[in-house]
Amino acid sequence: MNSQGLNQLLDDMQNWDKDKRFMAASDLMQEVTNSSQALDVLLQKRVCQAFLKQLEDQSIDVQGNAIKCLAKIVCKFQDQQVGEVLAKLSQLVLEGKPEVRDIYATCLKGLLSELPPSSSAIACQNVLPKMLHGITSHPLVEVKEECTDVFHDFLKRFGDNRVVQWSDQENMANSLLNLLKPKQFKTSLKKKVIACIGALSAVLADRQLDNLMRTLLADVRSAQTKAEKQKYIQCIGTVSRNVGFRIGQHLREIAPLFLEIVNQATEGDVNMDGENEQDHEVVENCLHAFESVVLRCSKEVGPHLDELSNTILNLISYDPNFYDTGDGGEMMDDGFDEFDDEGLVDSDDDDNSWKVRRAALRVLAAMVKGLPDKLDEIYKTFSSPLISRFTEREESVKLDVFITFGEMVQHAVVKNQAQASNMAASTQAAGASILELPQRALPKERPSAQSLVAVLPQCVAQLGKQLRGKAIKTRQGAMVLLRILAESMPQYLEPNLGQVQEELVRAMQENNSGMRLDALATIRHLAGNFSNPSVYEQLAPQFCKNFLLCCKDSYYKSIAQALRAIGAYVYTLRPSVAQASTSLTELLPMFEVLTGKLSATDIDQEVKESALECFGDLVACTGDLDPFQAPIQACIPPFVERIRNDVTRTTAIRALKTICSSQVKVAPLSSSLGAIGGQLSLYLSQNSRSFRQQCLDALVHVFRKCGQDVPQETTEQIVSDIVPFITDTDLYITDLCVQVAVQTLITSPQLAPTVATKCVPAVLTVCRSPLLQGSALDSILNFLSRLAQYPQHVPFKQLADVSVVATAQAQAQRQVVATLAKGLAAVVVGSPQSVQQEAIQGFVSQVRSGAAPVEVELALLALGESGKFLDLSQTPGFSETILSQLEHPQDEVRLAGALALGYATVGAMGTLLKVVIDNAQQAGAAAKGQKTQYLLLTSLREVISIGVTKRGPGESNLAEHLRPHVPRVLPILCQYADSTEESVRNVVSESLGHLLMVDQAAVLTALQPLLTNKESWRCRAAAIAAVRFAAGKSCAAETILPLKERLLESLSDEELQVRKAAWHSLNVACLSSTCSEIFREHTDHIFECIKEDSKQRAELIREVDLGPFKHKVDDGLPLRKFAYTVSCSLLSAYPEQMVSPSLVDLVLQGLADSEDVQVICCQLLQDLCSWNFALYRIIGRIGDLVEPFDRCIMRCIKQVQGKQQVGRAKDMLRLYARALRTVQPIAEQNQHKVFVEYMARILKDPVFAEVYEHANSSKDAL
């Protein structure tokens, strides 16, 4: 940028040609903003003066361009120039030419919006005083109006500046209020003043806000005219929307006053005591205020909720100009054009009562969003009346009726919940599905949903009438509501689908793309959650024909949605292999469409992905049907190309998995398996872990489905490529790789030597890792069991070699020995009977030989693991050998013997169970006998724990074998319930809890004396803990229901350990998918107990003398941790009942506790902020979080700076950062200035800023 060029542009800005002036200004703006060099001060002044002069240009275009350019260009200049321009523009607004005053104001507002936050002080210094002077002292109303408008934008942009906060805020508010009083002022000025008061209220201090609200309420009461009352009510509503929760303290005055005004205004209309349109405006403004406070002050509005509900119930049907003749909704369908002046409706031009109905509907929607604990009452009160309003005569209000009912439907369910209990509404069993995949879970219903479900048939019938109407907007709104019903409650909409089938068909044929998309989405959601396939089979001829038409649409979204709908609908026509509907032939033409979509390269990406998904679904259902063989074969080559394509490969591989998950034989796929397998194998070298995981998952399904058809050389290549990924660093990838190897052994036994040679070394390395667990361990055991069928390749000796773990730590050594024992057992169980007997005898001999303890431990555990699947009771000397090890000098060997005896009993219930019980009864009362008896109880615990869930070969539950022995077992367990050893009591509790699922009556009888034992807290604690183990096994709710009252009573037990056991049991029960509902009605009592047990108590803190120093031990800390943990579980299980400001009090209390408690509290805070409806309830308490978080963060920062416990301090800082990151968006959205200011201040600390940045980028995600 050279000065000569700039001077030329400045000269051209004064040219006589307006076009040249316009272009010169634009070019100058581009030069300045794009240049990296700063202009000198004199040139900056010239540029600013040139643009200011153009604001007075005779050409409107030049003026508008100057406004835009000046706002952008000044931000590039020095602060001095920025201040001068702001001062000049502000002065021109006050004293400039009247004809261009609005231009100056517009330019000043644009400049304020472009200035960075760092210019806040300059703006306050140069703009604020002049605008306040114009508002208060200038004689011209037009100047006041422009100043008010600028002041509004200034407050929105820089209202949080300290200059504003330290100014005389009360004087500002009074100055603005004074502009509302003169009647001669224009309406436009009053509207701007009201908006400005709202912006000012957001930055007012609490005392000034209180004074402002008192003044406004007094003005409402003293208003002489309805117009005057309306403006003050509108002002209160604007303030409530800007200050949010802070208005809650004034609701005790606002709510009764506004309700009185609303009732008086609407009653006057009903009685026809003189019409005045301003009444409706007043009522509308009152309702807008209620909409805001219901969302943000749900607790404070509680006392007025009943009266408000009754008022809203009346107002949603408030229509004083409509006289019902008794014909109901039928009359509404005929249209209102036929009504004359003597008919039923007054002129719409004179009727604005629709504003009242619309505002009432919005209040109702706010109640649904902000009062989740009142949903049951809301549904019972409003469901039927709202459905009756589907016949609303004003179209815009009718659309709001649909939207409000849609909100009610969406809040009746909790989506994306995968609990198995939610599947109860579906009659389609998982085994009957044509796909070998878990079923899609239906949205979880809230307990209050039943009131809404009861009126759904009536709702669908009314929607059908609206869909048959002529108004396109009404039909579109009704279709959107139908789609919401299909998304949220498909199981209840399905029986009523016949009532709207013609309307859905008509919508798919519409020219309106929105109608088509909503109709297709409705069918897709219903079909994706179907329970009665016959409903869809009857509709298939109509629907499939229209699906095909939509696939030929010109709009890409319609094509994509139609393809998705077909993919979902085909499962309803073939829900299982045996149930193939004849209507499937209706889908034959689809393959021609798919061939084109899969081959085309110039179509939208969404259409490509939808076509691939649709192809996968269609082939999964029709792959074995003769009419479909040729069309499928034609689609396979382009499908393979899509797998090779970098853009579509992810979706194509997902479709391949769908095809391979089907229970039908897909013959056309066989010819391409070599290419598909080779490509997937090639993709394993990609860096993306998620993509590698997807490829391995697809390979598992390919081999499981048609592994025998994969070419041998391709299989060998795949096996070679998976070996590098069999490691203990990523167990999930290892699991998938081993599954591929297992499927290879099953489908290609001739490749067993290759698989063994390449995979066994890597598998053995993983087996010796203490990290191996879960599904990866299960897959490896399955692999070893399959490999046992090839004795020459079995790594038996390598598995039995314990020398590799001799140097490991004790805990890691035990874990590795247990894994190796499971591997040995898997090999033994999978081997021929002769090999089994030889191996078992070898284990027994090794135990008897007195070998090294670790070798004896391995042999014992291998015997036990083998005994889970084999009957070892007939093995000579087995019982005596195992029992003798219970007296071994080494603790590890004794425990291994006890576990081995328990495991082996599972496979020989008929014989060894009696041995265990007999020996437990016969063990003496001496110390040695008690130790042996504890070990036998451990054996018994393993038997019971495995027996209640494991099924034998005949699919009979092994618990049936336990039931006859329960009377003999219970006295032993009850005897040890009072043991002083906590480990013994844990064994007793676990056994009792599991036996509760075997013989409920007997165990309940045995538990009663323990629960009521006043002399021994240990008995009470052990009995209460039994509930935890029963719930942990997902027992039926009826199993622990008789113990509910006793469990709740135990929360107030005088003994600390009993309460601790009760909290632990309650926590497990609340998180159980089967038992959580039994405690829903007791959340208030439980929370009161939580508040009591979460307090720190001085009497529970004791001082331990350690010689050189004294150490304080807090015995109440474990109990407090349990109490806080249960509060998290309650929030997860019963959010509607638990969300309240009291939870924030709990968090505040916990942040003053130990760091262990703080960890739980931060998680509780994050969970609380994750519920959308909770935000309106806790926003008022966010400011209270500042002080405790500041205290905790500053403590950790000092530790980091002082290099004291740096690792732990940074861990805690990360925890605080994640919690604050969750709260910050809520505070910013609701303009919570205390919290926002704190975040701005704390982020200036370099230590915390670094941690927060990492937390914000998820680099420290666990």
Side-chain angles (χ1 to χ4, degrees):
M1 178 185 359
N2 55 70
S3 56
Q4 184 177 358
L6 289 178
N7 288 327
Q8 182 62 45
L9 290 174
L10 287 169
D11 292 340
D12 289 344
M13 288 178 67
Q14 301 178 18
N15 195 282
W16 63 272
D17 186 355
K18 66 176 182 179
D19 293 333
K20 203 160 189 176
R21 296 197 302 274
F22 183 98
M23 292 305 300
S26 298
D27 292 343
L28 181 59
M29 186 266 292
Q30 290 291 337
E31 288 288 337
V32 173
T33 55
N34 294 335
S35 174
S36 58
Q37 299 177 359
L39 300 180
D40 61 73
V41 177
L42 292 176
L43 201 53
Q44 288 181 14
K45 287 185 177 180
R46 285 190 62 194
V47 170
C48 292
Q49 289 171 356
F51 277 110
L52 288 172
K53 186 176 181 180
Q54 278 199 348
L55 295 179
E56 301 176 8
D57 199 281
Q58 295 178 349
S59 169
I60 296 177
D61 293 335
V62 174
Q63 287 180 348
N65 185 59
I67 291 171
K68 180 182 70 174
C69 293
L70 186 62
K72 292 184 178 297
I73 208 170
V74 171
C75 297
K76 293 286 186 178
F77 292 167
Q78 295 179 2
D79 289 349
Q80 179 183 352
Q81 294 303 316
V82 174
E84 289 179 3
V85 172
L86 288 172
K88 180 67 174 177
L89 286 172
S90 300
Q91 194 65 32
L92 288 172
V93 170
L94 295 176
E95 301 174 357
K97 297 178 181 178
E99 58 270 17
V100 290
R101 184 181 294 116
D102 59 332
I103 301 294
Y104 297 138
T106 303
C107 186
L108 182 55
K109 290 190 292 182
L111 182 53
L112 289 173
S113 66
E114 292 287 343
L115 287 177
S118 58
S119 301
S120 175
I122 299 173
C124 290
Q125 180 181 353
N126 293 282
V127 178
L128 181 60
K130 293 181 174 61
M131 294 303 104
L132 290 176
H133 172 73
I135 291 171
T136 56
S137 306
H138 205 285
L140 293 178
V141 176
E142 291 78 9
V143 173
K144 292 180 182 291
E145 184 172 350
E146 297 297 346
C147 289
T148 302
D149 203 14
V150 173
F151 189 41
H152 171 265
D153 282 33
F154 172 84
L155 289 171
K156 286 288 187 182
R157 187 73 179 88
F158 300 114
D160 57 349
N161 188 277
R162 293 189 180 276
V163 174
V164 178
Q165 295 174 12
W166 290 346
S167 301
D168 189 356
Q169 294 183 338
E170 195 161 344
N171 185 42
M172 292 182 190
N174 290 333
S175 300
L176 291 170
L177 287 173
N178 289 333
L179 295 181
L180 290 177
K181 293 180 180 178
K183 296 181 181 180
Q184 67 272 19
F185 284 175
K186 297 185 295 183
T187 304
S188 60
L189 171 60
K190 294 179 180 178
K191 287 184 177 179
K192 290 177 180 178
V193 168
I194 290 173
C196 195
I197 290 174
L200 178 62
S201 65
V203 299
L204 286 178
D206 290 341
R207 184 174 64 82
Q208 280 76 23
L209 177 62
D210 185 64
N211 291 338
L212 172 64
M213 290 306 303
R214 292 183 186 280
T215 302
L216 287 172
L217 288 169
D219 289 338
V220 171
R221 293 189 180 96
S222 61
Q224 300 297 319
T225 65
K226 292 179 179 177
E228 195 175 351
K229 182 181 293 186
Q230 175 189 343
K231 66 186 178 186
Y232 288 120
I233 291 174
Q234 186 177 357
C235 192
I236 292 175
T238 304
V239 170
S240 69
R241 285 190 292 275
N242 280 273
V243 303
F245 68 92
R246 297 171 66 199
I247 204 171
Q249 59 182 324
H250 300 282
L251 271 186
R252 60 181 179 273
E253 298 178 52
I254 296 175
L257 176 62
F258 279 21
L259 285 170
E260 180 184 356
I261 293 171
V262 168
N263 291 330
Q264 287 178 353
T266 52
E267 284 172 4
D269 277 333
V270 172
N271 296 328
M272 302 298 291
D273 294 336
E275 289 288 327
N276 192 330
E277 291 183 11
Q278 289 182 340
D279 281 346
H280 296 155
E281 302 283 349
V282 171
V283 172
E284 182 186 22
N285 288 321
C286 288
L287 293 176
H288 284 165
F290 274 121
E291 179 188 0
S292 175
V293 299
V294 165
L295 281 174
R296 294 166 175 81
C297 311
S298 56
K299 181 180 179 182
E300 290 82 357
V301 84
H304 315 283
L305 197 57
D306 290 340
E307 187 177 357
L308 178 62
S309 296
N310 292 331
T311 302
I312 297 301
L313 184 61
N314 293 328
L315 293 184
I316 59 174
S317 58
Y318 171 76
D319 197 352
N321 296 323
F322 171 70
Y323 314 110
D324 192 356
T325 60
D327 294 335
E330 298 296 333
M331 176 192 61
M332 305 299 294
D333 297 331
D334 299 332
F336 287 97
D337 295 337
E338 301 175 7
F339 299 150
D340 55 24
D341 292 338
E342 297 179 357
L344 303 176
V345 182
D346 289 345
S347 171
D348 285 341
D349 295 335
D350 300 328
D351 178 26
N352 64 352
S353 63
W354 59 270
K355 295 181 178 181
V356 174
R357 300 194 296 277
R358 184 180 62 181
L361 288 167
R362 291 180 178 175
V363 176
L364 177 56
M367 291 167 65
V368 172
K369 294 176 187 175
L371 303 169
D373 55 328
K374 303 291 185 182
L375 282 178
D376 189 36
E377 300 170 19
I378 292 172
Y379 290 157
K380 288 178 180 176
T381 305
F382 290 99
S383 295
S384 294
L386 201 58
I387 291 172
S388 67
R389 296 308 304 166
F390 284 5
T391 56
E392 165 69 45
R393 64 188 178 91
E394 181 68 33
E395 188 174 51
S396 62
V397 181
K398 184 183 291 189
L399 295 178
D400 279 332
V401 172
F402 293 150
I403 292 171
T404 305
F405 196 85
E407 289 285 351
M408 293 172 68
V409 171
Q410 288 176 319
H411 283 80
V413 296
V414 181
K415 295 184 179 178
N416 300 324
Q417 298 291 329
Q419 289 91 340
S421 59
N422 298 340
M423 304 294 296
S426 178
T427 59
Q428 183 187 6
S433 175
I434 200 167
L435 293 183
E436 296 174 345
L437 292 174
Q439 275 190 301
R440 181 186 306 172
L442 293 169
K444 179 184 176 183
E445 292 177 30
R446 298 187 191 274
S448 54
Q450 290 307 310
S451 301
L452 191 64
V453 169
V455 299
L456 279 189
Q458 178 188 354
C459 171
V460 175
Q462 288 294 329
L463 281 178
K465 293 179 181 179
Q466 299 303 318
L467 287 167
R468 289 190 288 272
K470 297 179 181 178
I472 183 63
K473 288 186 178 179
T474 297
R475 293 173 52 228
Q476 200 161 1
M479 186 57 71
V480 169
L481 178 53
L482 195 64
R483 173 177 56 79
I484 292 172
L485 285 169
E487 289 174 357
S488 304
M489 296 182 167
Q491 70 274 33
Y492 299 114
L493 180 58
E494 183 181 273
N496 303 287
L497 183 58
Q499 298 185 54
V500 291
Q501 66 180 61
E502 296 297 334
E503 286 68 36
L504 287 171
V505 170
R506 179 185 172 190
M508 286 190 282
Q509 298 170 350
E510 284 274 359
N511 291 327
N512 186 299
S513 60
M515 288 288 287
R516 287 199 307 276
L517 290 174
D518 285 329
L520 289 167
T522 299
I523 297 172
R524 178 168 64 89
H525 288 301
L526 286 170
N529 297 282
F530 76 96
S531 58
N532 184 7
S534 62
V535 173
Y536 302 88
E537 185 175 356
Q538 295 171 6
L539 302 175
Q542 282 182 298
F543 282 177
C544 293
K545 179 175 63 176
N546 286 282
F547 290 156
L548 190 61
L549 290 175
C550 290
C551 288
K552 298 176 181 178
D553 199 285
S554 58
Y555 185 39
Y556 75 96
K557 284 190 175 294
S558 295
I559 301 172
Q561 195 67 267
L563 290 168
R564 293 193 190 102
I566 293 166
Y569 204 87
V570 68
Y571 292 106
T572 67
L573 302 181
R574 195 171 187 186
S576 65
V577 178
Q579 294 177 277
S581 170
T582 56
S583 299
L584 280 170
T585 54
E586 299 281 348
L587 296 173
L588 267 173
M590 273 307 305
F591 284 94
E592 183 180 349
V593 175
L594 287 174
T595 304
K597 301 299 182 189
L598 294 176
S599 304
T601 57
D602 57 346
I603 58 176
D604 190 84
Q605 177 68 14
E606 187 177 355
V607 176
K608 294 178 184 177
E609 294 179 354
S610 301
L612 287 166
E613 292 171 359
C614 180
F615 176 73
D617 294 325
L618 284 174
V619 174
C621 292
T622 63
D624 63 333
L625 301 179
D626 292 338
F628 291 86
Q629 298 304 301
I632 292 175
Q633 188 64 57
C635 291
I636 292 295
F639 175 68
V640 175
E641 287 303 315
R642 288 300 179 195
I643 294 178
R644 292 194 178 105
N645 187 284
D646 289 349
V647 177
T648 57
R649 63 189 184 186
T650 299
T651 309
I653 292 172
R654 193 163 59 244
L656 176 65
K657 178 183 174 182
T658 302
I659 295 172
C660 294
S661 301
S662 174
Q663 297 184 33
V664 304
K665 174 68 175 176
V666 185
L669 193 65
S670 302
S671 59
S672 303
L673 287 175
I676 292 172
Q679 192 63 45
L680 292 175
S681 180
L682 186 63
Y683 282 152
L684 295 180
S685 59
Q686 296 284 326
N687 288 329
S688 172
R689 179 188 178 276
S690 58
F691 183 57
R692 183 185 302 132
Q693 174 185 324
Q694 185 188 26
C695 293
L696 286 168
D697 194 22
L699 281 172
V700 171
H701 284 82
V702 168
F703 276 101
R704 187 178 296 156
K705 180 71 177 176
C706 41
Q708 66 277 6
D709 297 326
V710 179
Q712 183 169 328
E713 58 275 12
T714 303
T715 304
E716 291 177 351
Q717 182 61 45
I718 292 171
V719 171
S720 299
D721 289 342
I722 65 173
V723 172
F725 304 106
I726 302 178
T727 66
D728 63 346
T729 56
D730 192 334
L731 290 181
Y732 190 76
I733 295 293
T734 297
D735 177 20
L736 293 172
C737 291
V738 175
Q739 286 187 48
V740 172
V742 169
Q743 294 303 321
T744 303
L745 289 175
I746 295 172
T747 58
S748 304
Q750 71 276 12
L751 293 178
T754 303
V755 174
T757 303
K758 294 182 177 180
C759 296
V760 165
V763 168
L764 288 173
T765 302
V766 176
C767 284
R768 296 180 184 122
S769 168
L771 302 175
L772 182 59
Q773 58 184 318
S775 59
L777 174 58
D778 295 337
S779 294
I780 286 178
L781 296 180
N782 189 16
F783 173 74
L784 293 173
S785 178
R786 294 285 178 182
L787 201 61
Q789 299 173 14
Y790 311 94
Q792 66 274 26
H793 302 297
V794 174
F796 195 90
K797 291 183 179 179
Q798 293 93 321
L799 288 170
D801 182 12
V802 293
S803 60
V804 293
V805 298
T807 58
Q809 295 181 352
Q811 187 62 35
Q813 181 176 322
R814 287 184 61 185
Q815 180 68 31
V816 174
V817 169
T819 301
L820 293 175
K822 291 177 180 178
L824 287 169
V827 172
V828 170
V829 173
S831 301
Q833 188 172 0
S834 58
V835 177
Q836 290 179 359
Q837 293 175 353
E838 182 182 350
I840 296 299
Q841 287 296 340
F843 292 146
V844 173
S845 300
Q846 189 170 3
V847 172
R848 290 174 176 171
S849 65
V854 66
E855 294 179 357
V856 175
E857 183 181 358
L858 177 63
L860 285 169
L861 291 175
L863 280 171
E865 295 289 347
S866 302
K868 289 181 180 179
F869 308 96
L870 305 174
D871 186 350
L872 303 184
S873 60
Q874 303 304 317
T875 302
F878 173 79
S879 300
E880 294 78 5
T881 303
I882 299 295
L883 288 170
S884 65
Q885 298 306 308
L886 300 182
E887 300 178 2
H888 195 280
Q890 290 285 341
D891 290 342
E892 291 81 4
V893 175
R894 289 199 301 272
L895 181 59
L899 294 174
L901 182 58
Y903 295 159
T905 304
V906 174
M909 283 283 197
T911 53
L912 290 183
L913 183 58
K914 184 176 183 300
V915 173
V916 174
I917 296 174
D918 288 344
N919 279 274
Q921 288 179 326
Q922 292 170 7
K928 183 178 180 181
Q930 290 181 354
K931 186 177 293 186
T932 303
Q933 199 162 24
Y934 165 68
L935 292 170
L936 289 167
L937 286 176
T938 303
S939 302
L940 191 58
R941 177 197 62 188
E942 296 301 324
V943 177
I944 298 170
S945 176
I946 299 172
V948 294
T949 54
K950 185 177 174 63
R951 293 186 177 274
E955 292 300 313
S956 62
N957 197 310
L958 295 180
E960 298 298 325
H961 293 282
L962 283 171
R963 185 172 285 109
H965 300 279
V966 170
R968 296 182 62 195
V969 173
L970 287 176
I972 303 174
L973 296 175
C974 294
Q975 175 188 346
Y976 280 88
D978 196 24
S979 173
T980 55
E981 295 290 336
E982 186 177 3
S983 58
V984 176
R985 298 199 303 274
N986 284 337
V987 171
V988 171
S989 298
E990 186 173 354
S991 301
L992 286 171
H994 293 156
L995 285 177
L996 198 59
M997 303 166 63
V998 177
D999 191 343
Q1000 182 188 26
V1003 177
L1004 287 176
T1005 303
L1007 285 175
Q1008 287 304 322
L1010 299 178
L1011 291 168
T1012 56
N1013 191 333
K1014 298 296 184 182
E1015 298 178 358
S1016 173
W1017 64 263
R1018 299 184 185 90
C1019 290
R1020 300 199 302 276
I1024 286 297
V1027 177
R1028 163 169 48 114
F1029 293 103
K1033 287 287 185 180
S1034 298
C1035 66
E1038 293 76 14
T1039 304
I1040 64 172
L1041 189 59
L1043 297 172
K1044 180 180 71 171
E1045 295 300 329
R1046 187 63 65 178
L1047 175 60
L1048 294 174
E1049 291 175 8
S1050 298
L1051 297 177
S1052 305
D1053 195 281
E1054 59 185 13
E1055 176 55 44
L1056 191 72
Q1057 296 299 329
V1058 176
R1059 298 206 300 276
K1060 177 181 170 183
W1063 285 124
H1064 200 170
S1065 295
L1066 184 63
N1067 186 59
V1068 174
C1070 287
L1071 296 177
S1072 170
S1073 59
T1074 56
C1075 304
S1076 60
E1077 287 301 316
I1078 65 177
F1079 294 102
R1080 181 178 293 276
E1081 59 186 20
H1082 302 285
T1083 51
D1084 291 341
H1085 169 71
I1086 295 171
F1087 191 64
E1088 289 301 318
C1089 295
I1090 287 175
K1091 289 194 287 188
E1092 191 65 26
D1093 278 344
S1094 61
K1095 297 176 182 176
Q1096 297 186 59
R1097 300 188 183 280
E1099 63 270 20
L1100 296 177
I1101 300 176
R1102 53 190 171 89
E1103 200 171 66
V1104 180
D1105 191 349
L1106 299 177
F1109 58 90
K1110 294 182 179 180
H1111 176 63
K1112 288 185 177 181
V1113 177
D1114 188 352
D1115 292 328
L1117 178 60
L1119 182 66
R1120 297 201 302 277
K1121 288 168 64 177
F1122 269 118
Y1124 281 103
T1125 302
V1126 171
S1127 65
C1128 291
S1129 302
L1130 288 174
L1131 179 61
S1132 174
Y1134 323 113
E1136 299 88 351
Q1137 284 80 12
M1138 289 299 299
V1139 168
S1140 70
S1142 299
L1143 275 180
V1144 181
D1145 292 331
L1146 202 64
V1147 171
L1148 295 174
Q1149 178 180 286
L1151 289 174
D1153 208 321
S1154 73
E1155 290 185 348
D1156 290 343
V1157 172
Q1158 291 176 21
V1159 171
I1160 305 172
C1161 285
C1162 287
Q1163 183 61 51
L1164 176 60
L1165 181 61
Q1166 292 179 69
D1167 292 346
L1168 188 59
C1169 292
S1170 67
W1171 293 96
N1172 289 332
F1173 66 82
L1175 307 184
Y1176 304 117
R1177 299 190 178 192
I1178 64 172
I1179 187 63
R1181 305 301 309 280
I1182 284 182
D1184 298 337
L1185 296 171
V1186 170
E1187 190 275 330
F1189 267 110
D1190 185 53
R1191 183 180 63 248
C1192 296
I1193 290 172
M1194 294 309 299
R1195 184 191 71 244
C1196 292
I1197 289 175
K1198 289 179 181 178
Q1199 289 178 348
V1200 172
Q1201 292 171 342
K1203 301 189 184 303
Q1204 301 174 346
Q1205 298 181 332
V1206 175
R1208 183 173 178 82
K1210 284 195 172 183
D1211 287 343
M1212 293 304 297
L1213 282 175
R1214 277 191 287 271
L1215 178 74
Y1216 302 140
R1218 282 195 291 268
L1220 291 175
R1221 182 188 63 187
T1222 307
V1223 179
Q1224 187 178 16
I1226 304 169
E1228 291 176 347
Q1229 184 179 357
N1230 290 272
Q1231 301 175 347
H1232 205 300
K1233 63 179 183 179
V1234 175
F1235 191 90
V1236 172
E1237 286 176 1
Y1238 168 69
M1239 289 301 301
R1241 175 170 58 84
I1242 197 65
L1243 286 173
K1244 292 179 181 177
D1245 186 283
V1247 176
F1248 185 75
E1250 180 184 0
V1251 173
Y1252 188 84
E1253 182 182 356
H1254 286 182
N1256 211 29
S1257 60
S1258 299
K1259 291 179 181 178
D1260 67 330
L1262 297 177

